[in-house]
Amino acid sequence: MKSFLINPVLNKEFKLRFRSLKTFIGLFAYLLAIALIVIGFILLMTEFRGSSYFRPEQSRELFVMLSFIQLALILFITPGLTAGVISGEREKQTLNILLTTVQSSTSIILSKLFSSFLYLLLLIVASLPLYSMVFLFGGVAPATLLAVFGLYVFTIIVFASIGVFFSTIIRKTIVSIVTTYGVTLLLAGGTAFLFMIVLSMTQMHNYTVQTPPTNPAGYFIAMFNAPMVLAGIVMPEIVDEIYRTTGIDFPLWISHIICYSIIVLLCLFLSIRKLRPNMKVKK
């Protein structure tokens, strides 16, 4: 653990990332976008409707909207930050130099992942004061906020690992970025679309008044979808409907963590294995 924390690769990543003006411009733009959404929503609910107060129900609506927007921003930013961390070194012809150092493949991959993760974590933590406006008006439990931020952290780790994996196995950065965005879109949007198709087909072919139709396939699709898990946290009635239509009453967020933990471990294992070229001579 000490060798990981006192790590030349990690130190270099921190210095390059946090000395750059682009890092702070990105942080400012991120917070400005969220602040404009919060202020615009409050103005819409008060000034433009002729109301002089902000009700707790509206505060909850603001929290739900902010939660989904923040998740969408995380899904949009994470592939761009991580899908070029190894392929970029390869294109700059610095990867071979990096591989000749005493740093292990595990240390290099985890350092690249950790530096990107910390920057994304900084974006989330910096947005906390904006979330405090929700608590100012009430309507949201602190446990719900913690669950939402826990999902954010897990989502960053998942899609950062996927980005590092494609950056390792694909030589061109642009191809790696496009591939990572494609997989992110498939997992975040494609699974929701597939869930709706499965749900519609089940209700169309098996509908009876006495016994509502169920299809377990919908549950196994939904557990890969981070926005649906978030919907289950901020609007529990939605996840209850998923349980009813799929016939599986196991917590969706636990299934989400299990399946994506396996994907994260697999991505990191393959990234570490594929980082160094195979020097074995074929017989």
Side-chain angles (χ1 to χ4, degrees):
M1 187 66 185
K2 185 178 179 182
S3 61
F4 174 71
L5 293 176
I6 306 174
N7 180 336
V9 179
L10 191 58
N11 290 339
K12 175 202 148 205
E13 289 295 319
F14 280 151
K15 288 178 181 176
L16 288 178
R17 187 175 298 280
F18 290 100
R19 279 181 179 176
S20 171
L21 182 63
K22 290 189 292 185
T23 299
F24 297 99
I25 292 175
L27 177 62
F28 175 75
Y30 182 84
L31 294 178
L32 181 64
I34 294 182
L36 287 176
I37 291 168
V38 171
I39 294 170
F41 184 86
I42 293 175
L43 287 175
L44 188 67
M45 291 295 166
T46 54
E47 297 294 329
F48 298 150
R49 288 190 175 184
S51 175
S52 59
Y53 57 90
F54 197 69
R55 292 176 298 179
E57 298 81 22
Q58 294 169 332
S59 174
R60 182 171 179 78
E61 291 174 10
L62 172 62
F63 174 72
V64 172
M65 184 183 69
L66 262 183
S67 300
F68 278 102
I69 290 174
Q70 181 124 314
L71 181 64
L73 288 173
I74 288 171
L75 292 172
F76 178 73
I77 295 172
T78 305
L81 274 180
T82 57
V85 291
I86 300 297
S87 58
E89 295 276 1
R90 192 180 287 120
E91 288 180 345
K92 289 185 288 186
Q93 299 184 344
T94 53
L95 181 60
N96 289 336
I97 299 172
L98 192 59
L99 295 179
T100 58
T101 64
V102 294
Q103 296 299 313
S104 64
S105 300
T106 304
S107 174
I108 294 170
I109 291 293
L110 292 182
S111 298
K112 294 284 187 182
L113 177 69
F114 194 59
S115 67
S116 300
F117 168 76
L118 281 186
Y119 177 65
L120 290 161
L121 190 63
L122 175 64
L123 294 181
I124 293 177
V125 173
S127 68
L128 273 175
L130 295 171
Y131 273 87
S132 66
M133 296 185 71
V134 174
F135 286 102
L136 186 66
F137 299 105
V140 178
T144 305
L145 181 67
L146 288 176
V148 169
F149 274 75
L151 179 65
Y152 289 160
V153 171
F154 184 71
T155 303
I156 290 172
I157 295 173
V158 169
F159 288 94
S161 301
I162 293 173
V164 171
F165 168 68
F166 283 117
S167 179
T168 306
I169 64 169
I170 297 175
R171 300 187 69 83
K172 297 291 184 184
T173 299
I174 185 66
V175 180
S176 171
I177 291 175
V178 170
T179 307
T180 307
Y181 272 115
V183 171
T184 303
L185 184 62
L186 175 67
L187 292 174
T191 48
F193 183 66
L194 197 58
F195 175 81
M196 297 301 295
I197 291 176
V198 170
L199 187 64
S200 300
M201 291 179 66
T202 304
Q203 292 178 343
M204 187 183 302
H205 295 292
N206 303 314
Y207 182 78
T208 58
V209 177
Q210 293 79 13
T211 56
T214 59
N215 187 345
Y219 181 90
F220 295 111
I221 296 170
M223 72 183 187
F224 284 94
N225 190 279
M228 292 179 77
V229 176
L230 176 62
I233 294 173
V234 296
M235 295 179 287
E237 61 275 12
I238 289 184
V239 81
D240 291 339
E241 184 66 17
I242 293 175
Y243 295 154
R244 188 188 67 76
T245 54
T246 60
I248 298 178
D249 194 14
F250 188 75
L252 188 65
W253 66 271
I254 294 180
S255 302
H256 181 75
I257 289 176
I258 292 173
C259 68
Y260 273 116
S261 295
I262 295 171
I263 291 175
V264 167
L265 292 175
L266 191 62
C267 285
L268 293 179
F269 174 75
L270 292 175
S271 300
I272 293 168
R273 289 293 301 270
K274 297 291 183 183
L275 180 63
R276 294 177 188 273
N278 187 5
M279 302 299 288
K280 291 182 179 178
V281 179
K282 293 183 180 179
K283 295 181 179 178

